[in-house]
Structures are given as structure tokens and as C-alpha cells.
Amino acid sequence: DIQMTQSPSTLSASLGDRVTITCRASQSISRWLAWYQLKPGKAPKLLIYQASSLESGVPPRFSGSGSGTEFTLTISSLQPEDFATYYCQQHNSSPWTFGQGTKVEI
Amino acid sequence: QVQLQESGPGLVKPSETMSLTCTVSDSIYRYYWTWIRQSPGKGLEYIGYVYHSGNTNYNPSLKSRVTMSIDTSKNQFSLKVTSVTAADTAVYYCASDRGSGYFDYWGQGTLVTVSS
């Protein structure tokens, strides 16, 4: 299985901050990477797929980049509703695997 | 927008079989229907998918204990996990996959606790 490693595990930030989360794959996954936002008690939300494609309805302050084994999710200006846990997921080869998550907190 | 809702017992005894159902608001013919779980304090784990044809794909780590099925007449699909242990305690999510291996719609998740 492809191992996905995120950093940092926890990120402390303030409103308006630019935030960057990194995800590394144990082998090349081309651009087959997705990002999700999870909040307790709510349905997880797809943010980005194929490394940089913004899912419909997702605010443009979210962006993704990278290819091969290294990827980033950037939030350009942190909003109150963005405090959550973010996960990357490779969709290059089954079984699909996720990173361990990055919690963005105040 | 597709809506998904998980249902099933929240408490299962060790060694028993856990069963969950996901009800879908959209056409069940459109997507690959997936189960994902998140164990307490751990990350997300892909369990597998079922297609409207009945075709399935399971994560090898769980394949020996997992069965997925689909009922197109009820717009529902299901998950069974046999011989459960405490390690199967998790929030279980159902989700849709357009066929590209990522998940565009999710349910809110249901907590299943394995305990005597």
C-alpha cells in the first residue's frame, strides 16, 4: 500500500493567516491526490482532487499543488469556518490511503 | 447534491457481525458506493466499494471479514464485518466515488463500538 504522511500534525494559526499543509507519498502518485476537510459530527467535505482541481462550491482561498510524491494544501486567508482537520488521500492505486490528518486550531 | 445517511446498531459484541446500511438520495446507478472508517484517535481507512452491478472491491486488510451489497430498489447499500473486535470500533462513513478513486459526497458517519 502507498503510505501518506502529512505534516504538521497540528497547526496553530490565527484568522487571516496563510496556512500550508504538506503531504508526502511513499512512492510517486503522479497528481492523483485529494484533500478533505473533517469537522466533528459533520459530513467530510472534498476540497481538492487531482492535486489542484477545486471541487465545485469550495472557496478559492483553498488551493492545492504538487506532483509525484510531494503535495501541499494552502489556505490563503484562514476563516473561522476553516478550523478543522484536513486529510490528504492518494487516488493513484487501490487500496486508496489517507494521511494521518492535520488539525488546524486557533 | 447527493445525500447519504448511515444507519445501524451503535454497539456490537466482540466476535459478532456488524451490519450497516447507507441510504442514498440520488440515483444509485451513478457512482461507486464506498465505506470508509475512522478509528478513535486514528486516521481514515478505506474499506471498499460496491457498484450497482454488485461488483465489489475490498481493502485486502479487511477482505476476509467484509461483505458489501446493494439494493437498487431501496437506493441502499450495506456493509457487513464479521468477527469484530475492539479494533473495529470506529466512525463508519459511507461515501460516493465517481470512479476516480476520490470521494465527493459523504454521510455524517455513525459510531460503532465493539464491547461486551
Side-chain angles (χ1 to χ4, degrees), chain A residues 58-76:
Chain A
V58 174
R61 64 179 179 272
F62 290 92
S63 63
S65 65
S67 65
T69 61
E70 188 152 337
F71 302 85
T72 58
L73 172 71
T74 299
I75 309 173
S76 60

Side-chain angles (χ1 to χ4, degrees), chain A residues 1-96:
Chain A
D1 298 1
I2 297 175
Q3 305 302 313
M4 307 301 294
T5 304
Q6 284 181 239
S7 61
S9 297
T10 306
L11 191 159
S12 296
S14 301
L15 293 176
D17 281 356
R18 181 181 181 88
V19 166
T20 299
I21 299 169
T22 298
C23 179
R24 290 186 173 85
S26 60
Q27 64 188 72
S28 177
I29 57 170
S30 185
R31 292 178 57 80
W32 303 113
L33 187 95
W35 289 97
Y36 302 90
Q37 178 191 68
L38 271 71
K39 295 181 179 180
K42 292 196 171 184
K45 183 179 181 181
L46 171 67
L47 301 173
I48 303 278
Y49 59 95
Q50 290 178 18
S52 60
S53 296
L54 195 67
E55 173 70 352
S56 177
V58 174
R61 64 179 179 272
F62 290 92
S63 63
S65 65
S67 65
T69 61
E70 188 152 337
F71 302 85
T72 58
L73 172 71
T74 299
I75 309 173
S76 60
S77 177
L78 204 62
Q79 299 302 300
E81 59 269 30
D82 301 337
F83 291 97
T85 303
Y86 294 85
Y87 290 86
C88 61
Q89 177 237 331
Q90 62 85 14
H91 53 105
N92 178 76
S93 60
S94 186
W96 321 123

Side-chain angles (χ1 to χ4, degrees), chain B residues 84-100:
Chain B
V84 297
T85 69
D88 295 307
T89 294
V91 174
Y92 286 77
Y93 296 97
C94 55
S96 62
D97 172 1
R98 300 173 198 172
S100 298

Side-chain angles (χ1 to χ4, degrees), chain B residues 92-113:
Chain B
Y92 286 77
Y93 296 97
C94 55
S96 62
D97 172 1
R98 300 173 198 172
S100 298
Y102 59 86
F103 314 110
D104 44 1
Y105 298 108
W106 298 60
Q108 289 190 319
T110 187
L111 174 63
V112 177
T113 301

Side-chain angles (χ1 to χ4, degrees), chain A residues 87 99-100, chain B residues 37-45 87:
Chain A
Y87 290 86
Q100 80 278 18
Chain B
R37 71 181 184 180
Q38 182 174 27
S39 304
K42 295 187 181 179
L44 296 160
E45 180 179 29

